[in-house]
Each structure stands twice: as C-alpha cells, then as structure tokens.
Amino acid sequence: MAKLEELRYRSAYFLWVGVFFIGVFALIALLYGATAKIDYVWHWFDVPKYIVNQERIEITAGMGGEVAAIEGEGKDAVVIVKDGDDSESYPMAEAEEIWVSKGDFITPGKILGVYHKWQPGILLQGMWLTLKVSMYAIVFGILIGMLGGIARISKNPALKWSAICYVELIRGSPLLVQIFIWYFVLATLFNRLLMVYGFSEIDALYYGVAALACFTGAYVTEIVRAGIQSIHRGQTEAARSLGMTGPQAMYYIILPQAMRRILPPLAGQFISLIKDSSLLGMIAIRELTKATREAITISLSPYEFWFVCAILYLILTFTLSMAVQYMERKMAIQ
Amino acid sequence: MIEVTDIHKTFFVPHKVKALVGVSTKVAAGEVVVVIGPSGSGKSTFLRCLNHLEAADSGHILIDGIDILDRKTNINKVRAEVGMVFQSFNLFPHKTVLENVTLAQKVVRKRGKSEAHDKAMGLLQKVGIQDKANAYPDNLSGGQQQRVAIARALAMDPKVMLFDEPTSALDPEMIGEVLDVMKALAREGMTMVVVTHEMGFAREVADRVIFMDEGAIVEVGTPEHFFQNPTHDRTKLFLSQIL
C-alpha cells in the first residue's frame, strides 16, 4: 500500500518536472517561431568572435635585400636580411611558418611569417570593465557604508544628521541622474579646476566608480546600521562592564557579530551594483552593456547579443553570490 | 569600598518612572550584600548605577574612594575594577570560552598572551569548566555559561563583584552550580553586591540584606533579623509572598 502510494507520488513528481521542461521549450519555440515569421536570421556563429577572437599578426621585413641566412629551428629561428653592409635580424619565435627561404631577394614590407594570437573580444573587454568598476565601487561602498553606519548611530548630531542626509539624498534620486550629476556637473567642474592648476584630467571611469560607490554606500550605511542595532544591548554592556572603551567594544564585540548578519543583505546589494553598473554606458564607459551595443552595430544581430549580454551578467552575479555563500559558511559559528 | 549617597534616577522612556529616589548605603571591603525586593523596585537599576551602566541623575557613588558621577573620572578605569555578572550571561557568542575570558585581559589590562591564557585557565578550573575552554558559548548549558561569565569578570582581578539576578534565567537544576561558585567566592573574601531572588543564598552567605521597594531602601539588616523578625509591613508582606 505504502509502495503504491510512493509510486504515485513519484510519477506525479516526474510529471510536473516534465511540465516544467515543456514550458521552457515551448517559450523558446514560441520566440523562435515569432522571429522566423519576420524573417529574422539567427547568426549565433557570429557571437564567439566578439568574446575571444584570433588576430592575425604579420612579421614584416623593415628593409629590402637578400635573405642571408635562417638560423636556428622552430622557436629559435631568426631570419637575417642583408643589403650590402646593412643587416637586420628578425626573430621568428611566434611565427607558425617562415614564408621566405635563404637567397630570396625581398622588398621592404615583405611578409616573413604570420602568426595568430588569441585576444579578448569586445564583449569580454566590456565584461572585464564591468567587473573592475563594480569591484572598485564595492570596496569604496563598504568603506563609506561602514563609516556611514557608525555615524548614523552616533549621538553626535553633526555625524548623525550628515549620515541621515546622505542616505536620504542618495536613496531618493535615480541612479542615472546621479551618474549624470557626477559626469556632467562634478567631473567637468573638477577637471576644469585641475586644468586651471595645471594637473591632468581624471578619466570618466573614475567618476563612474565614484557615482556607483556613493550610491551603494548609502544602502550599505543602512545595512550596517541595522546590523549593529540588531546586536543585543547586553553585548555592549558586558564589554563596557569589563572596562573596554566604546570604540573597543565596537571593534572587538559588536562589529564582528554584526558582520555576520550583514553579509547576506550586503551580497544582495552588490549583485544589484553589478547590474546597475550597466548605466555607466550612458557616460561613455565601455562596460558590458555599452560593449554589447557596439557589437550589435557591427554585427547587426541584436537578438543574439542581448541574450549573450544577459548571460554574461548572470555569470558575474552568480559567481559573486556563490562566493558570498562560501564566506557565510566559513564565518558561521558552529 | 562602595559608598552611595542619596542617588536619584528617573527614566523618561518609554514613560516617566522614578526608579531610584534617594538611595544611600555603604558596602565595606569583603562584605557580601544581598539586595532583594519585588520586580520594579529599582534593585537592578541600583546595581547598574554602581558601575555606571546607568548614570544616576544626582547624588554620589564612591567606588574605592573615586566618585564615578564626577565628569572627570575615567569610568573605564573604574569599571575594570568592578566585575559584573548579568542575568542573561551576555557572553560573546563569536568567541570561544577561553577567548571570552582572555579578551578584556589583553585589551584592557594589557596582559601578554600567555599570562592571560594562564589566568583564564586557572579561573575556568576554579569554576569547573576548564574542559570546555575551546567550545563556543552557544554549545554550553545556561549554568555553564553563567560560570564562564563569572570567570570572565574575575579575570580582571576586580575589587568588587556585582551580580544582577545571576540565576533567574537558569533551569532549576543549574542554579546550584552557579550559587556554589558564588559561595566559594564569598568565602574567599570578595566584596559582593548580589541582586537575587534566591532567599537560601541570602540566608546562608549574606552579611547584610537590603530590601528595596519603589526605588528606595525600606529595610536593612542581617539575614537573621531579616528572615526572623522583619520590622516593616512591606517587608513582611514581600517575605510572606515568596517564602
């Protein structure tokens, strides 16, 4: 009886698993069918070269003359070109094949050999920039948030009110507007000032990082505040009753415990930060989204590239969330 | 050792409560004083005022001759000399038992690693918990946690120990082990102020019993006087309710 029951349960389970996969495939088929209706031609094979591509590099002779000798073999091969008393040697270490032989007369610019080199494509470059910008913003966001969170619960009105104003201002306006303020107002102002005093300008990238860091910092401030306040008052009292100063109690007792509670919401915040960094394309920073748009202008295959773009973001955010889960396990008290 | 003169304390949050109204008393070195009274009588507030976890509004509190209500007093120095044990233990959950006992020694007393370690192990042995030195507080029973908390306070070599209802959060079978540690401490001549509902402890160990009600000291006396012929009606009523 129990066996029959279990069998029934299992077959129902697999039925619904089947429903799930059928649903997924139906959606894909629907999309494909719709694009076929409007004669969209999918060019998936175009995509890989925007992620990594093989660049053809030619080794050319700088002067004309006679190939006097080819010394060495394979990786050590060197082509020596002589013209009267002049002579030049070209190491062929990377060349796949040597296109000249001894005794050949060559003109300047003659291709001596060719090799191919793997290079990150525009999408991978964009992804790297997204990662770089996000990491900078995360580090500074944590710093701002830690200080902000502690200021937010301070009894000193100058600190406390500054923290409240900062958080409310940042959270109350759209990130895109903040990025424009950083780029079109603060960056132009500051770069002009730098010029007036004879310094070189700062790249737009850093204003983008600043915008993201300030934005995230406000949210981290609130997360840190909540984390600190969630630690029972008795912990501070116990630490103070042992003669620790306020900062000592904060450093040794409160913050380490608060950090553990802060970690999950912090991870969520940083995942949104990676996604929000896509707005930096608006101020000419070539991160992943902007890179995708450029790839589309070249390839004229928008459908493929937007899906690829989304998947590349997913790789970044998923890796981060895995890393945080690992840290959480490490920090957990058994 | 402790000299309290006419302290007042009013709380305004969540609503106005006069917690202490003119409390004065003295505790001599080596004396064990037990403070009893109904809940809301101000006995915990009184105890917390003694190491400035609550700031009394007016009056004077002298600990070993230092007025802790004086703004110029470095309260952290005084607190290092006054150990406190809480009702809810308040051990540091992210540190092992051993780290709980060594941390303040290193940070506040500036003791070296090995000195702090030896001191801690000695005290853990004294409270009978040395085999749990590397465990985390959450893996200990309430009674064990409270004994660690006592060791943590003793590690600072305090001149006075304050106990704020140390057995109230414990299961009945664990009360004994904590009281035994406190009794041993009393026999060694530690100056102690204990807020408790354990009348047996008061009767056996106390040199003096203070009965508080509505923020004031109602009656003070030896345990014999207190439990056999209390003079005040309020004391009689309280004792009849709990004994």
Side-chain angles (χ1 to χ4, degrees):
Chain A
M1 205 49 207
K3 253 200 165 153
L4 194 69
E5 192 85 328
E6 197 192 314
L7 202 69
R8 251 233 210 96
Y9 172 77
R10 280 172 62 108
S11 51
Y13 180 80
F14 285 117
L15 174 73
W16 290 111
V17 170
V19 167
F20 168 76
F21 282 108
I22 290 169
V24 170
F25 285 122
L27 264 179
I28 293 171
L30 206 67
L31 182 70
Y32 181 77
T35 57
K37 206 82 185 162
I38 60 159
D39 297 327
Y40 185 84
V41 186
W42 292 84
H43 286 300
W44 282 108
F45 50 84
D46 258 6
V47 174
K49 72 174 178 232
Y50 291 91
I51 296 174
V52 279
N53 64 4
Q54 239 189 356
E55 198 187 351
R56 186 185 134 112
I57 296 172
E58 297 165 344
I59 302 168
T60 53
M63 57 177 259
E66 187 190 355
V67 177
I70 299 175
E71 290 172 359
E73 293 256 329
K75 289 252 164 239
D76 304 319
V78 177
V79 173
I80 295 165
V81 179
K82 264 201 174 126
D83 179 24
D85 290 340
D86 289 342
S87 106
E88 261 175 29
S89 55
Y90 300 94
M92 307 297 285
E94 287 166 301
E96 287 142 16
E97 207 182 334
I98 296 171
W99 285 18
V100 291
S101 47
K102 193 177 173 210
D104 286 1
F105 282 94
I106 57 170
T107 49
K110 164 81 179 164
I111 299 168
L112 304 175
V114 172
Y115 65 96
H116 292 83
K117 202 171 146 192
W118 287 103
Q119 279 198 323
I122 184 172
L123 289 186
L124 208 60
Q125 286 172 19
M127 194 171 163
W128 168 242
L129 195 61
T130 290
L131 192 67
K132 195 167 111 179
V133 166
S134 304
M135 287 303 140
Y136 283 153
I138 284 173
V139 170
F140 286 109
I142 289 179
L143 279 178
I144 295 172
M146 279 285 176
L147 297 176
I150 291 170
R152 179 69 182 71
I153 55 169
S154 161
K155 288 195 185 96
N156 182 331
L159 290 174
K160 185 177 176 171
W161 294 357
S162 310
I164 292 175
C165 284
Y166 163 62
V167 169
E168 293 307 322
L169 276 177
I170 296 286
R171 292 206 302 187
S173 61
L175 176 57
L176 187 57
V177 172
Q178 290 175 33
I179 289 172
F180 285 160
I181 290 176
W182 274 99
Y183 185 65
F184 292 115
V185 180
L186 298 178
T188 46
L189 181 67
F190 195 60
N191 278 343
R192 287 296 285 275
L193 277 178
L194 285 176
M195 265 170 64
V196 169
Y197 290 102
F199 295 101
S200 55
E201 290 190 357
I202 294 173
D203 192 61
L205 180 75
Y206 297 100
Y207 292 103
V209 168
L212 285 183
C214 275
F215 179 76
T216 306
Y219 287 86
V220 176
T221 294
E222 279 300 287
I223 293 170
V224 169
R225 176 194 64 78
I228 291 173
Q229 286 180 340
S230 78
I231 304 299
H232 193 262
R233 212 168 57 118
Q235 291 290 313
T236 312
E237 287 183 352
R240 299 302 304 272
S241 80
L242 290 165
M244 287 189 209
T245 62
Q248 283 172 341
M250 184 58 85
Y251 178 78
Y252 289 106
I253 305 303
I254 306 304
L255 281 184
Q257 293 183 59
M259 274 317 285
R260 286 199 185 96
R261 295 192 192 176
I262 286 171
L263 213 50
L266 216 52
Q269 188 55 46
F270 293 149
I271 284 169
S272 357
L273 173 74
I274 288 180
K275 295 183 287 180
D276 289 342
S277 72
S278 62
L279 291 172
L280 291 185
M282 302 294 286
I283 56 168
I285 294 171
R286 214 168 86 173
E287 43 65 61
L288 184 50
T289 305
K290 176 98 161 101
T292 305
R293 288 171 63 175
E294 286 179 15
I296 290 167
T297 359
I298 303 165
S299 69
L300 303 174
S301 309
Y303 292 9
E304 295 88 334
F305 278 93
W306 284 123
F307 284 126
V308 168
C309 176
I311 290 167
L312 292 178
Y313 273 112
L314 189 67
I315 290 172
L316 288 180
T317 53
F318 190 71
T319 312
L320 180 65
S321 89
M322 285 291 119
V324 171
Q325 271 185 30
Y326 174 77
M327 268 169 74
E328 252 174 83
R329 272 203 302 276
K330 277 237 130 173
M331 283 172 87
I333 315 167
Q334 53 276 61
Chain B
M1 181 58 72
I2 303 176
E3 204 175 325
V4 180
T5 322
D6 195 32
I7 56 170
H8 291 253
K9 174 74 186 174
T10 308
F11 290 111
F12 294 96
V13 180
H15 47 261
K16 194 175 172 184
V17 180
K18 288 187 172 175
L20 296 175
V21 281
V23 174
S24 304
T25 191
K26 278 184 187 177
V27 180
E31 199 178 15
V32 177
V33 174
V34 170
V35 184
I36 60 174
S39 66
S41 60
K43 54 193 191 306
S44 273
T45 306
F46 167 67
L47 197 71
R48 289 161 61 81
C49 282
L50 293 184
N51 71 348
H52 211 261
L53 282 182
E54 301 290 355
D57 299 333
S58 61
H60 295 283
I61 300 171
L62 271 64
I63 305 285
D64 210 14
I66 301 164
D67 189 348
I68 62 168
L69 291 178
D70 186 341
R71 281 178 156 276
K72 279 173 267 174
T73 304
N74 179 353
I75 190 61
N76 298 316
K77 276 203 166 139
V78 179
R79 277 179 181 152
E81 310 294 334
V82 181
M84 182 144 187
V85 176
F86 299 87
Q87 180 178 352
S88 49
F89 329 134
N90 295 345
L91 291 180
F92 308 133
H94 61 302
K95 302 218 170 269
T96 63
V97 166
L98 187 63
E99 288 166 343
N100 262 277
V101 184
T102 53
L103 178 67
Q105 294 191 62
K106 291 182 202 161
V107 174
V108 181
R109 288 276 191 239
K110 310 287 181 207
R111 286 180 190 150
K113 204 175 170 187
S114 64
E115 190 191 355
H117 178 271
D118 293 347
K119 175 94 189 165
M121 286 313 286
L123 284 166
L124 288 175
Q125 190 155 17
K126 187 169 164 187
V127 301
I129 212 155
Q130 69 278 18
D131 51 327
K132 296 274 186 187
N134 292 314
Y136 282 88
D138 287 348
N139 298 337
L140 267 52
S141 74
Q144 290 170 328
Q145 288 192 45
Q146 194 59 296
R147 284 185 281 151
V148 173
I150 294 173
R152 177 176 71 178
L154 289 175
M156 303 298 288
D157 295 317
K159 294 174 181 152
V160 185
M161 283 286 283
L162 309 176
F163 293 84
D164 188 3
E165 303 198 26
T167 56
S168 296
L170 295 176
D171 289 337
E173 72 268 25
M174 292 167 186
I175 291 175
E177 63 194 54
V178 173
L179 289 182
D180 287 343
V181 170
M182 290 168 64
K183 283 173 193 166
L185 209 52
R187 276 197 296 275
E188 286 169 21
M190 174 62 77
T191 311
M192 293 163 65
V193 181
V194 185
V195 171
T196 186
H197 295 295
E198 291 296 324
M199 292 305 145
F201 178 83
R203 208 183 306 224
E204 194 182 330
V205 184
D207 296 313
R208 203 146 47 94
V209 177
I210 294 175
F211 175 68
M212 286 183 71
D213 192 23
E214 291 178 348
I217 294 178
V218 176
E219 191 163 354
V220 183
T222 61
E224 295 78 34
H225 155 81
F226 211 83
F227 291 106
Q228 274 139 34
N229 42 28
T231 45
H232 278 265
D233 293 341
R234 191 68 195 83
T235 318
K236 284 178 195 164
L237 178 66
F238 176 72
L239 288 172
S240 72
Q241 279 165 342
I242 62 160
L243 289 179

